[in-house]
Amino acid sequence: MQHKQKNIEALYKEKSNIIYRYLIKIGCNKEEAKDIVQDTFIKAIENIVHLSESNISAWLFKVAINKYYDLCRKESRHPVVDLDENSLNHLLEDDNETIIIKKENKTEIDGVVDKLKPIYKNLIVLKYELELSYIQIGSILDMKEETIKTYLYRARNEFKIRWDKKNEKG
């Protein structure tokens, strides 16, 4: 038990900032994000005897996300991704026309990302917004590196398909 307690402390130092930054990027305000991170680690301490050390990081991440989604449901609001320009570069081609589109339609682009499958949205934010490596993402989500690469490829393609369909209508 003492060993697990030390692991929670180390995990808090290592993962709390990543979880906090992720929550901010999906629309959580700073105070809520701090509270959610704190509540997540309190829950980890309360459940320490039941947690497997091999996937505790993924468990923390999922608990934090679920706490945020619960808060959104309770307050009848929808989490909204807020991608920066660097992230948009990974989703759209970088010619002069695209640069103008990105700046003019940032809200629409964020809206398209919001409509992706949750795993795709999570991976886009973790990889392009938080600039985490595949190894770091794998640790957070308890996924293999190859799976992450495959899902990110699919996420980018799904984004492009939805973006093209949206622009054909508009």
Side-chain angles (χ1 to χ4, degrees):
M1 175 97 159
Q2 186 70 13
H3 177 67
K4 282 190 174 186
Q5 185 71 27
K6 287 182 181 178
N7 284 349
I8 290 287
E9 291 171 17
L11 268 172
Y12 181 80
K13 289 176 183 173
E14 180 184 344
K15 305 294 182 190
S16 63
N17 189 43
I18 293 170
I19 294 169
Y20 173 80
R21 289 175 35 221
Y22 177 80
L23 291 167
I24 297 296
K25 286 298 177 183
I26 62 169
C28 191
N29 72 44
K30 291 178 181 180
E31 288 304 312
E32 290 170 340
K34 286 178 188 175
D35 291 344
I36 290 169
V37 169
Q38 183 177 0
D39 290 348
T40 299
F41 280 90
I42 288 170
K43 187 171 183 172
I45 292 167
E46 291 171 350
N47 293 288
I48 198 158
V49 295
H50 305 293
L51 296 177
S52 166
E53 289 187 40
S54 64
N55 66 356
I56 193 167
S57 181
W59 183 88
L60 289 167
F61 193 80
K62 289 172 189 169
V63 168
I65 291 171
N66 288 336
K67 284 185 174 292
Y68 177 59
Y69 289 157
D70 289 346
L71 178 66
C72 288
R73 276 190 294 277
K74 188 171 26 171
E75 295 179 357
S76 299
R77 61 180 164 146
H78 180 73
V80 179
V81 170
D82 183 23
L83 299 178
D84 65 22
E85 192 171 322
N86 184 40
S87 299
L88 302 178
N89 291 339
H90 294 285
L91 294 174
L92 296 170
E93 304 301 318
D94 259 334
D95 55 24
N96 289 333
E97 180 182 342
T98 305
I99 292 168
I100 293 167
I101 288 171
K102 284 189 261 187
K103 290 182 180 178
E104 290 179 354
N105 299 322
K106 183 184 175 317
T107 303
E108 293 174 20
I109 293 169
D110 289 346
V112 171
V113 171
D114 273 330
K115 290 183 174 128
L116 296 176
K117 292 179 183 178
I119 186 64
Y120 291 173
K121 182 168 53 171
N122 288 342
L123 289 171
I124 286 171
V125 171
L126 292 169
K127 180 67 179 159
Y128 302 125
E129 276 295 306
L130 302 181
E131 298 178 341
L132 300 179
S133 70
Y134 295 117
I135 293 169
Q136 291 170 313
I137 295 169
S139 170
I140 290 170
L141 299 178
D142 194 28
M143 294 172 68
K144 293 179 181 176
E145 189 174 337
E146 288 305 312
T147 305
I148 293 166
K149 289 178 181 178
T150 300
Y151 280 21
L152 266 172
Y153 174 80
R154 291 177 184 167
R156 288 188 302 266
N157 284 340
E158 181 69 21
F159 172 85
K160 288 174 186 174
I161 290 167
R162 288 177 182 260
W163 180 252
D164 289 344
K165 282 183 182 177
K166 182 183 180 335
N167 287 325
E168 287 173 7
K169 293 177 184 176

